[in-house]
């Protein structure tokens, strides 16, 4: 799978698929959708902290992209065109419920403090390792919701997925300096919270993922029967993102970034369902005479 966030990405294959889809090839349209949907989904998941909302958002974005393909003349870079539509949608979409629930670092910190610390035995830690990992990923993803949408999106793109500031600024239609400044601000706010709260970063902090896991399960934040985050993946984000840590100031900042970059890159089995839903959309039907 070619990484559309990499500086060496070439959209020649995209253009060929678009041309073929416009001529009525359903398989070409499906290949185009599959090529980008997992990247769209994974960014949407980080933006909302909800696998279900992320699926809906991915479908909304792809419908918007596909129904506007007629406006893409091939005179500009398709990747930039596609992800401008995608990220503009992310910034302007309605608020999802967790965005209203997790509104600030101070509120989120209080929420974590209220979660009971429950010591696990060595055997329990081994037996519950998948749940502990899901709790860790969910907790860290919750921290992202404490950032405002623009900061959150820039952090997800620039830090977690390693997008170069040139590409990031083009996708978000902002200046390179603006992209770098927003990323720097997001890092500062997030890392300050983690340094004061998270035991993964600062060993003097009492908060530990394994101690919080049972409380997360009791509160419904971790579902033992249907894990939200530690599932449906073959790779880590670091395996699909460009290696870009050279602009970080020190080893501590690299450690922060690595905690997010080593989280799963989810490739959920909703691609077939998503494509069937796309083909049932009246706007898509009106544009494509697919065979």
């Amino acid at each position: 799978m070619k990484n559309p966030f990499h500086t060496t990405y070439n959209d020649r294959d995209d253009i060929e698929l678009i041309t073929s889809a416009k001529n009525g090839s359903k398989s070409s349209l499906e290949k185009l959708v599959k090529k980008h949907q997992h990247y769209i989904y994974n960014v949407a998941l980080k933006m909302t902290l909800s696998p279900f909302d992320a699926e809906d958002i991915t479908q909304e974005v792809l419908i918007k992209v596909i129904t506007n393909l007629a406006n893409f003349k091939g005179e500009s870079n398709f990747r930039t065109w596609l992800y401008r539509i995608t990220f503009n949608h992310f910034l302007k979409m309605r608020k999802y419920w967790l965005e209203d629930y997790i509104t600030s670092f101070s509120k989120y910190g209080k929420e974590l403090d209220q979660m009971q610390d429950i010591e696990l035995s060595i055997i329990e830690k081994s037996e519950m390792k998948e749940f502990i990992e899901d709790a860790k990923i969910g907790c860290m993803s919750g921290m992202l919701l404490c950032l405002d949408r623009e900061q959150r999106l820039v952090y997800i793109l620039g830090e977690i997925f390693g997008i170069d500031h040139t590409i990031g600024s083009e996708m978000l239609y902002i200046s390179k300096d603006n992209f770098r400044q927003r990323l720097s601000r997001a890092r500062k706010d997030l890392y300050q919270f983690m340094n004061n709260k998270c035991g993964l970063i600062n060993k003097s902090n009492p908060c530990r993922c394994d101690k919080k896991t049972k409380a997360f399960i009791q509160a419904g934040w971790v579902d033992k029967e249907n894990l939200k985050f530690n599932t449906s993946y073959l790779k880590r984000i670091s395996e699909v993102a460009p290696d870009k840590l050279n602009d970080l100031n020190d080893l501590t900042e690299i450690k922060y970034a690595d905690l997010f970059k080593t989280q799963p890159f989810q490739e959920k089995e909703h691609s077939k369902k998503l494509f069937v839903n796309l083909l049932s959309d009246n706007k898509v039907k009106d544009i494509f005479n697919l065979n």
Side-chain angles (χ1 to χ4, degrees), residues 3-235:
N3 182 354
F5 297 156
H6 203 282
T7 53
T8 61
Y9 183 81
N10 189 312
D11 67 353
R12 187 183 304 111
D13 292 344
D14 290 324
I15 302 302
E16 291 176 359
L17 290 172
I18 291 168
T19 302
S20 180
K22 285 181 177 179
N23 289 329
S25 172
K26 184 166 68 175
S27 63
S28 293
L29 184 61
E30 186 172 12
K31 286 177 183 177
L32 183 68
V33 167
K34 282 185 174 181
K35 191 174 180 182
H36 295 280
Q37 76 170 81
H38 292 307
Y39 288 90
I40 295 171
Y41 173 81
N42 276 272
V43 177
L45 180 61
K46 294 297 183 188
M47 286 293 291
T48 62
L49 188 54
S50 168
F52 312 106
D53 290 336
E55 284 189 29
D56 289 342
I57 293 166
T58 301
Q59 180 166 310
E60 290 169 7
V61 166
L62 288 171
I63 288 174
K64 188 176 290 187
V65 167
I66 289 171
T67 54
N68 278 283
L69 270 181
N71 299 325
F72 178 74
K73 306 302 182 183
E75 297 169 353
S76 59
N77 184 289
F78 175 74
R79 172 181 64 179
T80 302
W81 180 85
L82 165 64
Y83 286 101
R84 274 187 182 173
I85 292 175
T86 300
F87 299 145
N88 187 56
H89 182 88
F90 288 174
L91 293 174
K92 294 185 176 181
M93 64 189 177
R94 65 177 175 83
K95 268 196 171 185
Y96 286 84
W97 76 276
L98 278 169
E99 291 183 289
D100 281 324
Y101 187 77
I102 302 174
T103 56
S104 68
F105 285 111
S106 59
K107 183 177 180 180
Y108 191 57
K110 290 176 183 176
E111 184 77 21
L112 290 175
D113 290 340
Q114 290 171 4
M115 293 283 182
Q116 182 183 4
D117 286 338
I118 303 173
E119 291 280 357
L120 301 182
S121 67
I122 295 176
I123 293 176
E124 284 180 312
K125 287 181 182 179
S126 176
E127 293 175 341
M128 296 179 65
K129 63 181 181 180
E130 297 297 326
F131 307 143
I132 294 170
E133 183 69 12
D134 204 65
K136 182 182 84 171
I137 297 170
C139 183
M140 290 179 62
S141 297
M143 296 175 195
L144 296 178
L145 291 186
C146 300
L147 300 168
D148 66 45
R149 273 191 177 175
E150 287 187 343
Q151 279 187 306
R152 194 186 320 154
L153 183 54
V154 168
Y155 184 85
I156 292 167
L157 298 179
E159 189 81 313
I160 300 177
F161 283 94
I163 289 182
D164 177 82
H165 63 269
T166 300
I167 297 171
S169 63
E170 289 174 354
M171 289 179 173
L172 295 176
Y173 208 51
I174 58 178
S175 69
K176 296 177 188 178
D177 283 343
N178 202 336
F179 185 88
R180 285 192 293 262
Q181 288 166 9
R182 291 182 188 183
L183 178 56
S184 177
R185 214 160 36 236
R187 281 173 177 161
K188 180 180 178 181
D189 293 344
L190 181 60
Y191 297 167
Q192 183 178 35
F193 174 80
M194 293 182 74
N195 190 57
N196 292 331
K197 177 64 65 177
C198 182
L200 293 170
I201 289 295
N202 187 342
K203 299 302 181 185
S204 65
N205 290 325
C207 194
R208 294 290 186 277
C209 303
D210 58 312
K211 291 182 181 180
K212 295 292 186 185
T213 298
K214 283 190 175 181
F216 274 35
I217 292 171
Q218 292 167 5
W221 293 110
V222 171
D223 184 348
K224 293 171 67 175
E225 303 302 321
N226 187 23
L227 296 180
K228 293 180 181 178
F229 308 107
N230 189 33
T231 185
S232 303
Y233 72 94
L234 299 173
K235 298 184 277 292

Side-chain angles (χ1 to χ4, degrees), residues 260-273:
F260 286 96
K261 288 174 75 74
T262 54
Q263 291 179 4
F265 180 82
Q266 297 197 358
E267 299 180 49
K268 296 178 77 67
E269 288 299 319
H270 65 273
S271 56
K272 281 289 184 184
K273 181 183 75 173

